[in-house]
């Protein structure tokens, strides 16, 4: 098992989930993987959350321990003998610090970019925002009730229970890394919104998908997490 590269807490995770034509994702699929489907449908998720108490190789970097992240991801799987490893691939990940984006690109070749960001936790409302080409964009959700355990075999379980990350490398290879955390609890969601220049940020192929209503929205309270070092796969 690979050693631990990063520890942190991921908190207040907002996930807006959309159906997508698998052909749109084909150019982003790393070698050796296949798409993971929910009831025969390919999904992408717009995700916002808080990164807290971040440590890299056990070290806390001043002014880089707590920050926002927003990403667009989709779901994949890799077969290793009798085991099926279910993971995610990122189309783009937004963070507010250039050093964070640079570190992720160097160690994993992850598609990180740095932009001004902010967040708001106002009662039951959670919002994550980023500034792109002079304009603020955002995703948000309003919750109700108390957090509950994720139901087995539910769409929530499919979205949240992916414990591997995969990244295509510059030479065409694939790096795999493991993410460890306990099962999360989630809130009921009353409403959600996405205000984003989709075509400019992610490409025109994603515009028809992300401009429509999400098929589902989930909000998780989160937990401590561990991210292991990346390993090149055959």
């Amino acid at each position: 098992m690979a050693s631990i590269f990063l520890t942190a807490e991921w908190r207040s995770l907002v996930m807006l989930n959309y159906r997508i034509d698998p052909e749109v994702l084909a150019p982003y699929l790393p070698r050796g993987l296949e798409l993971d489907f929910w009831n025969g449908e390919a999904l992408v998720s717009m995700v916002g959350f808080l990164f807290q108490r971040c440590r890299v190789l056990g070290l806390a970097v001043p002014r880089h321990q707590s920050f926002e992240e927003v990403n667009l991801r989709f779901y994949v799987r890799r077969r290793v003998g009798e085991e099926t490893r279910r993971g995610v691939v990122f189309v783009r990940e937004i963070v507010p610090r250039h050093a964070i984006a640079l570190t992720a690109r160097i160690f994993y070749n992850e598609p990180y970019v740095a932009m001004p960001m902010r967040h708001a936790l106002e009662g039951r409302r959670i919002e994550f925002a980023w500034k792109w080409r002079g304009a603020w964009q955002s995703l948000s959700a309003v919750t109700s009730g108390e957090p509950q355990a994720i139901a087995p075999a539910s769409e929530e379980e499919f979205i949240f229970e992916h414990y591997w990350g995969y990244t295509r490398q510059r030479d065409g290879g694939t790096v795999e890394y493991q993410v460890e955390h306990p099962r999360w609890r989630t809130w009921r969601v009353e409403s959600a919104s996405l205000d984003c220049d989709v075509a400019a940020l992610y490409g025109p192929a994603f515009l028809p998908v992300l401009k429509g209503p999400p098929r589902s929205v989930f909000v998780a309270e989160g937990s401590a997490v561990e991210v292991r070092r990346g390993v090149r796969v055959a």
Side-chain angles (χ1 to χ4, degrees), residues 14 123-126 141-145 187-191 218-219:
V14 177
R124 296 292 186 173
R125 182 174 181 274
I126 305 171
V142 176
T143 67
S144 65
W187 283 279
R188 186 166 59 252
V189 177
E190 297 296 327
S191 62
F218 303 129
V219 177

Side-chain angles (χ1 to χ4, degrees), residues 13 15 124 143-151 154-157 159-161 183-189 217-222:
L13 296 98
M15 296 198 174
R124 296 292 186 173
T143 67
S144 65
E146 297 300 320
Q148 304 292 325
I150 294 174
S154 64
E155 184 182 348
E156 273 187 309
E157 183 180 66
I159 292 294
F160 286 113
E161 298 295 295
R183 283 176 69 94
W184 291 329
R185 299 189 303 170
T186 60
W187 283 279
R188 186 166 59 252
V189 177
V217 182
F218 303 129
V219 177
E221 59 183 349

